[in-house]
Amino acid sequence: QVQLVESGGGLVQAGGSLRLSCAASGTIFSVNRMGWYRQAPGHQRELVAAITRTGRINYLDTVKGRFTISRDNAENTVYLQMNSLKPEDTAVYYCNADIRDYRDYVEHNYWGQGTQVTVSS
């Protein structure tokens, strides 16, 4: 089995920073694309940032210049550094990854359990 475990959410004032972490573990052969999504109440889940194994990155336009995604391939971990946070960044943030499982060598898509980020004004 494969698991994604997130940490780092919380409550912060506008203008503050948070760092999210997501570690993949289990029957992993390789971890390919990793990313962060978020979902606010009454809104659809949206991609915030994603990074490939080779380091290609894309961001949601509204977070460019404020958020930075990075990963540690040796630790199968992805990070999201969030600076200059705004109340509109408030959401549940979910880690997502495309992982090839060594039990069947098939790539599957996995989700973390979600971590709440709340930005007060």
Side-chain angles (χ1 to χ4, degrees):
Q1 277 192 329
V2 172
Q3 282 188 318
L4 298 179
V5 178
E6 301 146 343
S7 61
L11 172 64
V12 64
Q13 288 189 330
S17 297
L18 284 173
R19 189 188 193 213
L20 305 182
S21 300
C22 171
S25 63
T27 55
I28 297 170
F29 178 76
S30 64
V31 180
N32 300 311
R33 180 180 177 272
M34 303 186 83
W36 291 94
Y37 288 73
R38 68 186 181 187
Q39 187 166 20
H43 290 78
Q44 288 189 331
R45 191 172 295 190
E46 62 182 358
L47 175 65
V48 176
I51 182 169
T52 67
R53 185 172 181 83
T54 56
R56 188 175 63 190
I57 292 171
N58 63 287
Y59 292 104
L60 179 68
D61 283 347
T62 55
V63 307
K64 286 179 180 178
R66 300 188 297 122
F67 291 10
T68 302
I69 190 170
S70 61
R71 64 187 284 171
D72 182 334
N73 288 334
E75 298 295 329
N76 293 327
T77 300
V78 64
Y79 305 95
L80 185 67
Q81 178 67 43
M82 304 184 293
N83 298 329
S84 302
L85 281 160
K86 303 176 181 181
E88 51 264 43
D89 295 317
T90 295
V92 177
Y93 283 69
Y94 296 91
C95 178
N96 179 264
D98 295 324
I99 297 174
R100 191 173 302 277
D101 191 318
Y102 69 63
R103 293 177 298 175
D104 57 10
Y105 293 101
V106 173
E107 186 171 280
H108 303 274
N109 185 259
Y110 294 91
W111 290 93
Q113 79 282 4
T115 185
Q116 177 70 46
V117 171
T118 302
V119 184
S120 63
S121 57

